[in-house]
């Protein structure tokens, strides 16, 4: 989706403002927001791409004016509402009205450490050979999917070079096909593709700058020499 | 003017308490429904407050500076090398380390969200998730460095890594000159979080 979350190359946001001695959390609610988001991710009722998609589809004005943990909370409300895990009335009243739905897993005190240490690897066994090789020139497709994709706008339709081949990873564009498990975990070859800044931003760009993205094979097409 | 400030301050304060109420309500409801365990939430917070943060990454970098075998392993297979020091898991499942050299300076961003190598750097700072950084890093990385008061010689190439997949990048900063005599523990104190993202350099002076 060509949403406001796809920020690479946008202008007008001003300078980057690092905060001296920044605290880990700026208010107690931020720590709870982080933890409840991580814990609910373990429920298995959505996956990382569906969670990202929920944030990306928040209204643009909300997205741009909210802190990151606020985005997480708004998306978490959406994710649980859409699945009927909570109702709007329950959210506003705080009182349970409908019984809970079954979930794949509830993170408990004694399972937190192991769950975080394990993470959710996305590498899968490849079912076909990689189409592109290290050093090969490729072009990113000029595509504008309506829903979730991880190909940023600023690289679309540009020619770059494959500098890493990462194996086959779960393909985000398919990972959001179904809102509930079992998810479509189709994996596609993943490459790091590097572009000259002049290819992305024109002749006035700094010739000493290069930018890469990690791009799945369906995002790429061959460059005929 | 003072009126405006007063109004603005009030709005900020009530906004914070709005979020406080909103998060508390959601957590309470999810707890009552049995989807989350508050003790597990406490533990998650404790992990990122006390155990998982940029000191882990500093350990990795200092070891790479002091041990050439580990250095080469880190650049060859960062996931395994980092795992050997006990750091693994969520948002660091697939690691790649990229080394700064006298010719190339690396910088990491996530333009689409806030992907960040949690096991070695902890939770990202606000600036890393900000629109300004996500927008500017890929188009004007030298300007970003200036925002951080970092100036590099003009001939140094800038290499920006936009982490658009589940691969997470660690910048291996250059070892500061005059640190040949330092132990691994002393070296780790020279490694800043920003030097491992590429918006800073390792410290030339002890802190």
């Amino acid at each position: 989706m060509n949403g406001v979350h796809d920020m690479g190359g946008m202008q007008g946001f001003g300078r980057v403002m690092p905060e001296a001695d920044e605290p880990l959390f700026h208010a107690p609610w931020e720590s709870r927001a982080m933890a409840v988001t991580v814990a609910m991710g373990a429920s298995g009722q959505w996956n990382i791409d569906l969670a990202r998609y929920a944030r990306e589809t928040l209204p643009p004005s909300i997205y741009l004016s909210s802190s990151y943990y606020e985005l997480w909370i708004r998306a978490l409300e959406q994710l649980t509402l859409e699945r009927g895990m909570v109702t709007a009335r329950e959210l506003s009243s705080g009182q349970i009205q409908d019984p809970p739905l079954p979930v794949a897993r509830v993170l408990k005190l004694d399972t937190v450490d192991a769950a975080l240490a394990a993470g959710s690897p996305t590498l899968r066994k490849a079912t076909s050979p990689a189409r592109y090789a290290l050093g090969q020139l490729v072009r990113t497709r000029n595509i504008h999917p309506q829903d979730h994709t991880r190909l940023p706008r600023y690289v679309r339709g540009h020619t770059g070079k494959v500098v890493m081949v990462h194996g086959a990873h779960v393909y985000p564009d398919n990972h959001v096909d179904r809102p509930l498990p079992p998810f479509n975990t189709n994996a596609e070859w993943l490459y790091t593709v590097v572009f000259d800044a002049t290819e992305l931003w024109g002749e006035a760009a700094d010739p000493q700058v290069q930018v890469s993205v990690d791009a799945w094979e369906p995002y790429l097409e061959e460059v005929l020499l | 003017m003072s009126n405006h400030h007063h109004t603005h301050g009030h709005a900020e304060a009530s906004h914070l308490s709005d979020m406080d109420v909103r998060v508390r309500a959601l957590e309470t409801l999810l707890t009552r429904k049995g989807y989350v365990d508050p003790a597990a939430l406490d533990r998650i917070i404790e992990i990122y407050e006390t155990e998982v943060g940029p000191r882990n990454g500093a350990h990795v970098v200092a070891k790479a500076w002091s041990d050439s075998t580990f250095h080469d392993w880190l650049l060859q297979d960062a996931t395994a090398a980092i795992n050997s020091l006990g750091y693994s898991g969520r948002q660091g499942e697939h690691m790649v380390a990229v080394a700064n050299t006298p010719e190339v300076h690396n910088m990491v961003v996530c333009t689409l969200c806030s992907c960040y190598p949690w096991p070695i750097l902890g939770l990202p700072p606000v600036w890393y998730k900000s629109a300004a950084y996500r927008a500017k890093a890929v188009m004007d990385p030298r300007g970003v460095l200036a925002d951080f008061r970092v100036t590099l010689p003009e001939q140094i190439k800038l290499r920006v890594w936009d982490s658009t997949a589940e691969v997470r990048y660690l910048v291996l900063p250059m070892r500061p000159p005059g640190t040949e005599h330092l132990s691994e523990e002393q070296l780790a104190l020279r490694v800043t979080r920003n030097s491992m993202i590429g918006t800073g350099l390792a410290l030339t002076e002890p802190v």
Side-chain angles (χ1 to χ4, degrees):
Chain A
M1 189 183 84
N2 291 344
V4 291
H5 69 282
D6 185 358
M7 291 178 160
M10 287 174 78
Q11 294 168 319
F13 289 115
R15 60 181 293 259
V16 184
M17 305 276 270
E19 182 184 343
D21 301 315
E22 181 176 340
L24 189 61
F25 300 109
H26 290 75
W29 69 262
E30 291 195 339
S31 64
R32 303 311 290 182
M34 182 279 293
V36 78
T37 303
V38 169
M40 285 303 289
S43 76
Q45 300 310 101
W46 54 83
N47 59 48
I48 189 164
D49 288 296
L50 285 160
R52 287 187 181 124
Y53 190 46
R55 292 166 201 154
E56 292 162 5
T57 46
L58 290 169
S61 58
I62 297 282
Y63 190 97
L64 289 172
S65 58
S66 303
S67 74
Y68 215 82
Y69 288 122
E70 186 175 343
L71 293 181
W72 280 21
I73 285 300
R74 286 177 178 273
L76 182 56
E77 289 169 350
Q78 276 310 119
L79 289 162
T80 50
L81 277 168
E82 283 164 5
R83 286 158 183 76
M85 298 169 75
V86 301
T87 65
R89 273 184 72 190
E90 287 177 328
L91 267 182
S92 58
S93 70
Q95 300 302 315
I96 300 183
Q97 278 157 340
D98 295 352
L101 297 183
V103 295
R105 186 165 66 144
V106 176
L107 210 54
K108 295 287 184 187
L109 178 58
D110 60 357
T111 53
V112 167
D113 287 59
L116 293 180
S120 306
T122 52
L123 185 66
R124 298 290 184 272
K125 199 174 156 50
T127 53
S128 58
R131 188 168 165 200
Y132 304 111
L134 278 178
Q136 188 170 348
L137 289 182
V138 289
R139 187 180 300 107
T140 47
R141 291 180 191 275
N142 180 16
I143 48 171
H144 299 268
Q146 292 283 336
D147 44 22
H148 184 64
T149 187
R150 295 290 287 180
L151 181 66
R153 255 176 294 180
Y154 74 92
V155 298
R156 292 178 195 163
H158 287 293
T159 300
K161 189 162 85 174
V162 172
V163 291
M164 289 185 190
V165 183
H166 298 284
H169 283 253
V170 174
Y171 183 46
D173 302 49
N174 286 155
H175 212 196
V176 297
D177 283 355
R178 290 190 288 273
L180 287 164
F183 302 115
N184 183 351
T185 55
N186 169 45
E188 300 282 354
W189 283 93
L190 180 69
Y191 307 87
T192 297
V193 179
V194 68
F195 307 87
D196 290 335
T198 48
E199 163 72 13
L200 298 175
W201 312 112
E203 282 175 12
D206 187 335
Q208 298 284 70
V209 171
Q210 288 190 313
V211 181
S212 66
V213 298
D214 294 335
W216 280 265
E217 199 164 272
Y219 296 164
L220 304 173
E221 59 194 10
E222 234 166 290
V223 172
L224 300 173
L225 296 175
Chain B
M1 194 67 189
S2 65
N3 225 356
H4 168 78
H5 275 151
H6 175 77
T7 315
H8 182 68
H10 182 75
E12 288 282 304
S14 73
H15 178 70
L16 283 181
S17 70
D18 283 352
M19 278 313 294
D20 191 56
V21 170
R22 189 167 185 161
V23 174
R24 202 171 298 214
L26 183 61
E27 182 188 330
T28 304
L29 182 60
L30 296 175
T31 303
R32 286 182 179 158
K33 287 220 156 190
Y35 298 137
V36 296
D37 171 8
L41 303 192
D42 294 342
R43 176 63 189 145
I44 293 169
I45 295 166
E46 182 181 62
I47 286 173
Y48 292 107
E49 276 182 338
T50 63
E51 296 167 30
V52 177
R55 297 334 300 164
N56 295 1
H59 179 198
V60 173
V61 169
K63 186 158 182 71
W65 284 345
S66 345
D67 174 344
S68 65
T69 308
F70 184 81
H71 174 274
D72 295 348
W73 188 19
L74 183 65
L75 294 182
Q76 198 65 42
D77 184 353
T79 312
I82 290 169
N83 199 310
S84 76
L85 301 183
Y87 313 129
S88 70
R90 187 190 162 84
Q91 288 300 306
E93 293 91 344
H94 309 287
M95 291 296 309
V96 168
V98 291
N100 286 346
T101 68
E103 290 80 39
V104 182
H105 179 87
N106 295 281
M107 184 186 292
V108 182
V109 64
C110 170
T111 61
L112 296 174
C113 50
S114 61
C115 297
Y116 192 72
W118 287 25
I120 48 165
L121 297 187
L123 303 174
V126 166
W127 64 257
Y128 184 85
K129 302 179 277 188
S130 71
Y133 183 68
R134 288 162 56 188
K136 191 170 173 179
V138 291
M139 196 189 208
D140 181 18
R142 231 175 273 278
V144 168
L145 287 175
D147 293 344
F148 284 85
R149 300 178 192 284
V150 175
T151 320
L152 296 174
E154 256 181 43
Q155 73 275 13
I156 291 193
K157 292 188 166 70
L158 291 187
R159 178 71 175 80
V160 182
W161 303 77
D162 187 356
S163 23
T164 52
E166 303 307 333
V167 178
R168 297 289 169 269
Y169 293 93
L170 166 69
V171 175
L172 178 57
M174 280 202 291
R175 181 174 178 160
T179 56
E180 296 75 16
H181 61 289
L182 296 186
S183 69
E184 195 182 305
E185 289 72 24
Q186 290 169 316
L187 283 170
L189 298 174
R190 303 294 188 90
V191 184
T192 63
R193 176 193 63 205
N194 291 3
S195 74
M196 295 181 277
I197 305 171
T199 56
L201 306 175
L203 302 173
T204 51
E205 302 289 333
V207 268

